[in-house]
Amino acid sequence: MVEPKIKKSLHKRNDNLSDPKEQLRILNNGLFSGGELPTFKEKIKESGYATFTPKALEILQINVGYMCNQVCAHCHVDAGPDRKEIMTRETMQQCLEVIKNSGAHTLDLTGGAPEMNPNFRWFVEEASKLGVKDFIVRSNLTIIRANKKYYDLPDFFKQYNIHVVSSMPHWTRGKTDKQRGNGVFDASIKALQELNERGYGMPGSNLKLDLVYNPSGAFLPSGQEAMKKEFKKALLEDFDIQFHDLFAITNLPISRFLEYLIASENYEDYMYALVEAYNPAAVANVMCTNTLSVSWDGWLYDCDFNQMLDLKVASKVQHISEYNEAILQNRQIVISQHCYGCTAGAGSSCQGTVA
Amino acid sequence: MSKTYYDPSDLRKFGKITEWSEELGEKFFEYYGKVFEEGALSAREKALIALAVAHTEQCPYCIDAYTKDTLERGVTKEEMMEAVHVGAAIKSGATLVHGVMMMNKVNKLDL
């Protein structure tokens, strides 16, 4: 049984930080309004990015709902069992039209736990008929063990050759459960073993299983390759588990991670660390340049983080129902101080480091 | 003037030491950077050595920096504490082994 450390989402607690405007107020003031630190806009201008525009669309990331069986301490979606927002079949149908007609080669389903949307399996079946090159489902792993109705998910994933990308904060129980709730580590290990049994993550297998590493605290991820080596060694030795790749992702100072940074008095130091680690080489390849993010209710965003801050695309086309790639390609990407998270060090995206 | 000798925010200013002696400062940082690159030892192993030495040197800035650095590299708190004990063992052993010098001197001087 998974027992979360935090019991409820910010949304359910009616916390001020559940309002994206309040998060943006914090991000835009303090260190950044007094000139102590340069704003992200100023910083990228120094690196020659007077305007920040998208390249050709490659990845369509669809958030099919904020409902989740976990309440992770760092969750930027503020997901949890108490979040009821889920994508309707009608909006999914609109997404399918876009998948059919857009230039995106990668479809990336996320949540919450995307599998908890009652239309999830129908959507996967329909979308898989459209022949996307890389069909990703971001699974939190524990959902596979959460309830009998999800036990067959590994077989379902295999049937549609789904690329499974799963969060795993550490190869030890203590660090994992601290971030994601008691019992998460054991359930995740069991789920990984079940995926391995189906051939997922095995050397040479085309059933792709990748892990995502987020630091379990107010520090940045370091050396994706070295971290991958440590994960591979420990998971193989301790649990006979194999996986393909590991993506190191920086925690962005929004939502519940922002709550944690403020409560633990780490906010200022963390923002200094992000700005200090700013890497101009990462700017060109951050995910917002080739990705579009769709929310559960069909609104379009430059990335998942902008979605959570309700910073919609700066375009006259803002909803999946009126999707027009040519018009969307001409937009400017919307930025704020949280963007430092994607340009720190080796950079960070849903596919790991970018520089 | 600060009321304490150590100010945590001074760590952020470490790079500024090059301002008063550019050539020597830059040479130091070049050397420093090179030392911590992946080599025969991994950067993770080097970070753990640095953490242990930071404690034996009792440098608060270094403890701050290398605690963070080891966390960033996925090092667990158990590994960190073991590294500190290695430093402590060497430090106490180094003190104690000088006891032989004392014993030698006593044996020479004492009737």
Side-chain angles (χ1 to χ4, degrees):
Chain A
M1 176 66 188
V2 172
E3 289 175 21
K5 194 176 163 194
I6 299 170
K7 307 282 183 198
K8 290 177 184 167
S9 65
L10 291 166
H11 184 78
K12 182 75 177 176
R13 282 182 267 144
N14 284 323
D15 193 289
N16 281 348
L17 283 176
S18 66
D19 181 357
K21 287 191 193 78
E22 176 61 8
Q23 295 182 48
L24 285 166
R25 189 192 65 75
I26 292 167
L27 288 168
N28 290 324
N29 289 298
L31 297 167
F32 295 99
S33 63
E36 203 172 331
L37 288 174
T39 62
F40 187 72
K41 191 178 177 185
E42 289 163 350
K43 197 73 177 172
I44 59 169
K45 202 171 173 186
E46 280 172 26
S47 318
Y49 291 90
T51 59
F52 199 42
T53 51
K55 296 184 281 198
L57 179 71
E58 293 183 65
I59 303 167
L60 193 66
Q61 188 173 61
I62 302 176
N63 190 318
V64 296
Y66 300 162
M67 193 185 284
C68 191
N69 61 318
Q70 291 183 187
V71 197
C72 301
H74 72 304
C75 182
H76 74 275
V77 180
D78 193 28
D82 56 50
R83 297 301 300 262
K84 306 300 178 201
E85 301 91 332
I86 48 166
M87 186 175 275
T88 61
R89 196 177 273 217
E90 187 193 352
T91 307
M92 285 179 170
Q93 197 75 58
Q94 291 165 347
C95 290
L96 290 169
E97 281 305 308
V98 171
I99 296 161
K100 208 187 301 179
N101 301 316
S102 83
H105 56 64
T106 297
L107 179 59
D108 188 346
L109 296 192
T110 185
E115 302 93 331
M116 289 179 84
N117 184 314
N119 292 311
F120 168 75
R121 293 186 193 224
W122 171 82
F123 188 53
V124 169
E125 285 162 18
E126 293 302 311
S128 67
K129 291 177 195 162
L130 302 175
V132 282
K133 203 169 126 198
D134 191 9
F135 193 165
I136 298 170
V137 171
R138 292 187 185 264
S139 175
N140 68 16
L141 291 174
T142 63
I143 190 70
I144 293 172
R145 301 299 310 160
N147 184 299
K148 270 185 188 166
K149 68 178 174 181
Y150 300 120
Y151 284 1
D152 67 331
L153 274 171
D155 294 315
F156 177 76
F157 290 150
K158 184 177 177 175
Q159 187 184 347
Y160 293 97
N161 195 23
I162 296 299
H163 175 176
V164 179
V165 178
S166 293
S167 301
M168 192 74 187
H170 205 262
W171 58 86
T172 58
R173 183 176 289 104
K175 273 178 168 282
T176 301
D177 285 1
K178 200 174 165 200
Q179 184 187 83
R180 310 198 136 231
N182 289 333
V184 167
F185 183 76
D186 290 339
S188 301
I189 291 295
K190 183 85 182 86
L192 285 171
Q193 286 167 335
E194 289 188 13
L195 287 164
N196 273 179
E197 279 167 22
R198 269 74 171 185
Y200 267 101
M202 303 308 281
S205 168
N206 61 356
L207 294 169
K208 292 282 287 172
L209 172 62
D210 296 329
L211 298 184
V212 172
Y213 160 75
N214 287 90
S216 51
F219 51 92
L220 310 184
S222 162
Q224 182 169 280
E225 278 309 303
M227 194 62 85
K228 182 166 114 183
K229 235 162 87 181
E230 296 293 333
F231 264 89
K232 281 205 173 253
K233 186 170 171 280
L235 290 180
L236 187 65
E237 280 176 9
D238 298 346
F239 304 104
D240 204 22
I241 286 171
Q242 308 211 51
F243 64 93
H244 288 129
D245 218 341
L246 179 120
F247 307 140
I249 297 185
T250 303
N251 288 316
L252 264 64
I254 66 170
S255 198
R256 289 216 288 268
F257 189 64
L258 179 60
E259 178 193 32
Y260 157 75
L261 289 176
I262 293 169
S264 60
E265 298 182 353
N266 278 308
Y267 173 71
E268 287 196 6
D269 278 346
Y270 194 74
M271 294 312 295
Y272 263 101
L274 288 182
V275 175
E276 198 172 300
Y278 170 78
N279 178 3
V283 180
N285 297 316
V286 284
M287 63 180 158
C288 53
T289 57
N290 68 349
T291 305
L292 254 184
S293 160
V294 188
S295 66
W296 65 276
D297 48 358
W299 294 102
L300 302 174
Y301 300 85
D302 296 303
C303 71
D304 204 34
F305 302 108
N306 279 7
Q307 182 184 142
M308 301 314 148
L309 290 170
D310 198 25
L311 297 169
K312 294 186 178 73
V313 283
S315 167
K316 68 176 184 184
V317 169
Q318 287 195 316
H319 196 269
I320 193 85
S321 57
E322 53 191 15
Y323 186 87
N324 181 313
E325 200 155 311
I327 293 174
L328 281 161
Q329 282 304 110
N330 283 321
R331 73 192 194 276
Q332 296 262 331
I333 291 169
V334 180
I335 55 172
S336 182
Q337 300 3 303
H338 64 294
C339 303
Y340 272 117
C342 289
T343 55
S348 180
S349 78
C350 288
Q351 314 296 324
T353 58
V354 294
Chain B
M1 191 71 172
S2 157
K3 285 182 185 168
T4 57
Y5 285 103
Y6 291 118
D7 178 350
S9 69
D10 281 351
L11 182 56
R12 289 181 202 136
K13 301 174 195 160
F14 187 24
K16 289 184 189 290
I17 63 156
T18 54
E19 287 175 7
W20 288 7
S21 177
E22 200 178 335
E23 191 192 349
L24 292 176
E26 280 176 1
K27 277 194 188 305
F28 167 78
F29 282 117
E30 189 190 342
Y31 166 75
Y32 193 98
K34 204 82 191 155
V35 165
F36 282 96
E37 281 177 6
E38 296 275 340
L41 292 176
S42 68
R44 188 179 193 271
E45 288 164 330
K46 290 178 181 182
L48 270 168
I49 295 171
L51 183 68
V53 176
H55 282 76
T56 60
E57 288 296 308
Q58 298 182 340
C59 165
Y61 300 114
C62 313
I63 293 171
D64 186 331
Y66 284 96
T67 301
K68 207 169 172 187
D69 190 65
T70 42
L71 275 173
E72 288 176 356
R73 295 179 193 283
V75 176
T76 63
K77 56 189 178 191
E78 290 81 8
E79 290 173 304
M80 286 182 208
M81 190 55 91
E82 276 188 29
V84 172
H85 275 292
V86 171
I90 294 295
K91 189 93 174 172
S92 58
T95 306
L96 212 51
V97 76
H98 284 79
V100 177
M101 195 186 276
M102 172 194 72
M103 289 161 78
N104 289 343
K105 191 72 178 171
V106 169
N107 287 341
K108 189 181 175 190
L109 297 177
D110 215 13
L111 267 176

